[in-house]
Amino acid sequence: MTAHDESISVYGYAKMGDKDPDTVLLAPSCLGTYRGPQGGVDPFGVRYVANEETGFASMPDTSFHILDDITKWRDVIKKPDFSDVDWETMAKKDIEALGINREKTAIMGCFLCEFFQPLMGMMGFVEGLSAIAEEPDEVAELFDMMCDMAVELTKKMLYYYKPYIWNFGDDSATKLNSFISSKQFRELLVPRYKRVTDIVREYDIPIDYHNCGRCEDFLDDMVNVCGISIWNPAQTTNDLLAVKKKFGRKLAVVGGYDFVMPVTYPDVDEEYVRSSVREAIDRYAPGGGYGFCGGVPGRIDDPAVMKINMWIADEVETYGKDYYLR
C-alpha cells in the first residue's frame, strides 16, 4: 500500500508515472485474459465483454447466459481441468512479464476465488437470485465444485508465485444494500471462502477482500471467520467510522472516497475536488488503519475524467504526506 508509515496509505496496483507501483495484481495466465480489455470467455464458459464507457473493464455479457435452470447446472457447468499446466514455467513467465522489482513492488495474487459473481454471470441476476432463494442446495453444490477448483489453484499459486498479499473479490451488494441476506451469505458463501482463506493464512500473508456497495453486514464473518485483514473499496454508503471502531487494527479500511460529480460537469472546480479529498482523509485517517482509494470512473480518454483523477492523486500525495506527523 504505502512506502511511508507517516503518510496516508494509497491503495492501488498500477504504475504511476516513473514510480514503481506498490502492488500489482497477478492471476495465473492459464485462466485466460477474459477480464482484460479484450474480453473473452472464463473457465466456466461465461462470456465477458468490455467497452470504452467502462474504461475497458470487462464484465459478463448480459445478452447471453449459459444457464437458465440451476437444477441442470451439472449438464452445463464443468470443472475446469488444469492438470496439464506446467506451473513452474508458467509462474516464471507470468512474473517476468510484469517487469517489476519484487523488492519494491508486492505481487497481489488473485484469481477465481469468488462464487456469487460467477453465478450471476452464468444465469443473470433475476435467475441467479431466484436460484439462491428457491434452490439453495443446488447452488451450494455448484459452489462446492467451484470451491474445489479454487482450493487447487490457491495451493498452486501460493507455492509457485509466492505473492505478498492475497486478493479476492466477490461483489454481493448494491449501493443501498446487499443482494442476499446475512443468513444466505453465511450459509452459502462463508464456508467456501473459509476453505480458501484457511490455506492462505497458513502462509501468513494478508488477505485483501473486495466487495463494493453496502456490505458492512458481512464483515463480521469475513474478519472473524475468514480472516481478511484488508477491505476495499469500503464505499461511503457503509458506516465506515463504526466499522473502524468495531474492528480496530484487525481490519484496514481502504476507500472512504466516493466522488460526487457536480452538475456543472465537465466543468469542475479544482478546489472542489481537492477539498473533497482532504475531507475524506480527515474523516477516516485518524487512528490509522485507513488507506485512500477512489477516483472518477469513466472513459479512459475523457479529458475531464483524466484531469479530475490527476487532481485527486496529487492531493492525496501532497496532503497525505507526513499526515501522522502533524
Side-chain angles (χ1 to χ4, degrees):
M1 299 228 290
T2 189
H4 305 288
D5 293 338
E6 301 85 1
S7 302
I8 295 299
S9 296
V10 180
Y11 183 94
Y13 36 79
K15 189 176 180 63
M16 299 294 288
D18 295 329
K19 180 181 177 294
D20 289 305
D22 294 321
T23 60
V24 290
L25 283 171
L26 177 60
S29 54
C30 64
L31 295 179
T33 58
Y34 65 95
R35 282 278 175 87
Q38 71 290 322
V41 179
D42 78 4
F44 297 112
V46 176
R47 189 164 62 204
Y48 280 69
V49 295
N51 58 46
E52 294 176 341
E53 279 63 36
T54 65
F56 292 104
S58 186
M59 301 177 185
D61 183 351
T62 58
S63 68
F64 174 76
H65 298 124
I66 63 174
L67 182 63
D68 57 13
D69 183 347
I70 190 64
T71 65
K72 295 182 171 61
W73 72 263
R74 296 167 190 81
D75 299 328
V76 178
I77 312 299
K78 305 302 179 182
K79 181 181 175 183
D81 182 8
F82 299 105
S83 60
D84 293 335
V85 172
D86 182 345
W87 282 86
E88 185 172 4
T89 299
M90 180 177 65
K92 183 178 179 180
K93 289 182 178 179
D94 288 347
I95 294 171
E96 288 178 350
L98 292 174
I100 61 168
N101 181 345
R102 293 200 68 171
E103 294 184 0
K104 295 181 178 181
T105 299
I107 288 178
M108 184 183 289
C110 67
F111 72 101
L112 289 171
C113 183
E114 64 261 21
F115 310 106
F116 179 84
Q117 276 186 268
L119 177 63
M120 298 305 115
M122 295 169 185
M123 303 191 72
F125 276 90
V126 173
E127 294 300 328
L129 292 175
S130 296
I132 289 175
E134 298 171 359
E135 299 284 354
D137 291 340
E138 291 287 347
V139 172
E141 291 191 26
L142 171 59
F143 285 175
D144 280 337
M145 181 275 284
M146 297 165 66
C147 190
D148 288 343
M149 185 200 74
V151 166
E152 293 174 10
L153 291 178
T154 297
K155 291 177 179 178
K156 295 288 189 182
M157 192 166 188
L158 287 168
Y159 182 82
Y160 288 103
Y161 289 78
K162 298 178 174 54
Y164 294 153
I165 306 171
W166 192 257
N167 166 278
F168 79 99
D170 204 6
D171 289 322
S172 52
T174 71
K175 180 178 180 179
L176 299 178
N177 215 328
S178 57
F179 281 111
I180 56 178
S181 69
S182 294
K183 181 176 183 292
Q184 291 169 321
F185 183 83
R186 189 170 296 118
E187 292 177 352
L188 287 173
L189 294 173
V190 172
R192 290 151 186 100
Y193 292 154
K194 187 176 184 298
R195 283 186 60 196
V196 178
T197 58
D198 279 353
I199 298 169
V200 179
R201 291 162 76 181
E202 292 178 5
Y203 282 72
D204 196 29
I205 60 176
I207 300 173
D208 173 37
Y209 172 58
H210 171 92
N211 200 346
C212 298
R214 190 196 172 282
C215 57
E216 62 183 288
D217 297 337
F218 298 157
L219 292 178
D220 267 329
D221 288 314
M222 296 308 300
V223 173
N224 297 319
V225 178
C226 298
I228 69 162
S229 51
I230 305 166
W231 168 43
N232 82 80
Q235 294 183 283
T236 55
T237 187
N238 301 277
D239 189 342
L240 300 184
L241 292 179
V243 169
K244 283 193 63 176
K245 182 178 180 180
K246 181 174 186 177
F247 294 104
R249 301 309 289 269
K250 289 178 66 177
L251 179 67
V253 174
V254 177
Y257 186 75
D258 295 317
F259 182 75
V260 179
M261 194 72 77
V263 295
T264 58
Y265 180 84
D267 295 322
V268 181
D269 179 64
E270 180 176 352
E271 179 53 28
Y272 167 80
V273 176
R274 291 182 178 274
S275 65
S276 69
V277 172
R278 296 193 296 271
E279 289 169 5
I281 292 175
D282 287 341
R283 182 171 179 81
Y284 299 114
Y290 170 70
F292 184 92
C293 177
V296 182
R299 292 176 61 115
I300 58 177
D301 60 350
D302 184 331
V305 168
M306 291 189 289
K307 180 171 62 176
I308 295 170
N309 282 329
M310 180 186 69
W311 290 337
I312 291 171
D314 182 69
E315 192 64 25
V316 175
E317 176 72 20
T318 55
Y319 188 70
K321 184 175 176 58
D322 299 330
Y323 184 87
Y324 292 109
L325 293 180
R326 298 171 191 167

